[in-house]
Amino acid sequence: MDADRLLSGRVAAVTGAGQGLGAAEALALAAAGCRLVLNDLPGAALDGVADRIRAAGGEAVVCPGDVAEWSTGQALVERAVEAFGGLDILVNNAGVLRDRMVFSMSEQEWDTVIRVHLRGHFVTTRFATAHWRERSKAAGEPVYARIVNTSSEAFLLGSAGQPNYAAAKGGIVALTLATARGCGRYGVRANAVCPRARTAMTGELMGPAPDGPDPLAPERVTPLVTYLAGPAGERITGEVFVVHSDVVALLGPPTVRAAFHATTGEWTVPELDAALGPVFTDDPPQPGFVCEQTLPLAAATFGEAER
């Protein structure tokens, strides 16, 4: 497999492409042969990424705008069709943080994060999948269509100071699964990645980069995104990956921890207490629907950098 030209001629749209992870993904996709439609808020940062792609011999156009606006999602697909004749790949990455404990969070802080992350993923997905459905019906067969969404381990851990962000990222996983199920017949393959990357958005959480190679550099995430966007992505859909440093971890679906049945055929409160009381004995109680298994991944690799 020629990684350098893995996606030669394909058209990819990347949101949040002005900086950080989105910029790194756009540059990696361009290096793999993609023609790019770049979205972010208007400004020099977005134009600068497009200039870097063109300077390296690639093709890129910009489609600035608020990713959560209906008109932006529509314009993103229209720009891809106008500039390059179609769209093959959608990488959703745009996001913001408004960290606060739930009891201190304002209405605006909640709405802003849910809007940019979850609504932003939905808006672009809505127009991209409509485009692919139309093309598939016209061709009478599935088309080449890839979506790579950006979730976070925050949804697995229930990040205490990020209830808005954790909720949005959990919603993105659900959106990814629903898209994979609902649009697979048209050729759409939809997956989500949970990256750990040191960017302007996460810098305060992760601290400064170490001297020398940074195991949490955004570039460590881009090979998986490129792979899922490529031909091998045909076999992968409705999956969630954790990716950082030297790690790619494929998450399993939630499991049933235990099942209980009413002996009389209908539950009563006393019978529920008899069944569930012996299970929940911690005092104080500990959150149960939490997955901390991802935390030790690659601890030997970047543990020193985070101390």
Side-chain angles (χ1 to χ4, degrees):
M1 183 181 294
D2 184 357
D4 291 339
R5 305 306 297 172
L6 181 69
L7 293 166
S8 182
R10 296 294 180 187
V11 180
V14 180
T15 72
Q19 61 181 337
L21 190 57
E25 290 166 342
L27 291 165
L29 289 168
C34 276
R35 296 171 288 172
L36 271 296
V37 181
L38 307 177
N39 164 262
D40 211 319
L41 295 176
L46 183 63
D47 293 333
V49 175
D51 289 341
R52 289 177 63 185
I53 291 172
R54 297 186 196 111
E59 297 180 69
V61 298
V62 299
C63 183
D66 180 348
V67 73
E69 287 289 341
W70 199 252
S71 58
T72 302
Q74 187 172 15
L76 196 65
V77 175
E78 289 177 350
R79 189 78 172 100
V81 173
E82 173 189 83
F84 304 121
L87 178 69
D88 303 300
I89 299 156
L90 171 64
V91 179
N92 281 311
N93 181 73
V96 296
L97 290 178
R98 296 291 187 273
D99 293 352
R100 193 86 63 187
M101 297 296 289
V102 68
F103 45 76
S104 301
M105 184 163 288
S106 70
E107 179 181 14
Q108 184 178 14
E109 289 166 337
W110 174 269
D111 288 347
T112 295
V113 170
I114 296 295
R115 182 180 183 278
V116 175
H117 286 273
L118 184 52
R119 178 181 164 89
H121 272 64
F122 159 69
V123 168
T124 57
T125 296
R126 189 270 182 209
F127 285 101
T129 53
H131 170 72
W132 291 324
R133 178 175 178 266
E134 182 178 338
R135 281 178 47 199
S136 175
K137 288 193 168 187
E141 61 183 7
V143 298
Y144 190 108
R146 306 282 189 268
I147 298 176
V148 183
N149 287 332
T150 305
S151 184
S152 168
E153 290 169 273
F155 97 93
L156 298 169
L157 304 171
S159 297
Q162 298 179 305
N164 47 4
Y165 182 74
K169 292 306 190 181
I172 286 168
V173 169
L175 172 64
T176 303
L177 298 179
T179 303
R181 283 182 175 271
C183 301
R185 73 187 74 176
Y186 308 116
V188 178
R189 304 293 180 258
N191 297 285
V193 297
C194 300
R196 293 184 202 172
R198 198 185 317 273
T199 67
M201 191 175 82
T202 63
E204 290 187 9
L205 297 173
M206 296 187 173
D211 295 332
D214 184 1
L216 294 179
E219 289 74 18
R220 297 290 191 102
V221 175
T222 61
L224 176 61
V225 173
T226 303
Y227 180 78
L228 293 173
E234 177 65 24
R235 305 188 302 272
I236 308 169
T237 195
E239 302 288 357
V240 182
F241 298 85
V242 173
V243 54
H244 54 83
S245 59
D246 64 347
V247 171
V248 169
L250 176 61
L251 298 185
T255 60
V256 177
R257 180 176 167 187
F260 305 90
H261 300 276
T263 58
T264 61
E266 185 175 347
W267 285 106
T268 64
V269 171
E271 191 173 0
L272 282 168
D273 185 56
L276 300 181
V279 177
F280 302 105
T281 59
D282 288 347
D283 187 14
Q286 299 299 312
F289 200 77
V290 170
C291 176
E292 295 180 340
Q293 293 176 334
T294 64
L295 289 179
L297 294 174
T301 301
F302 62 84
E304 293 295 329
E306 293 196 331
R307 287 179 186 157

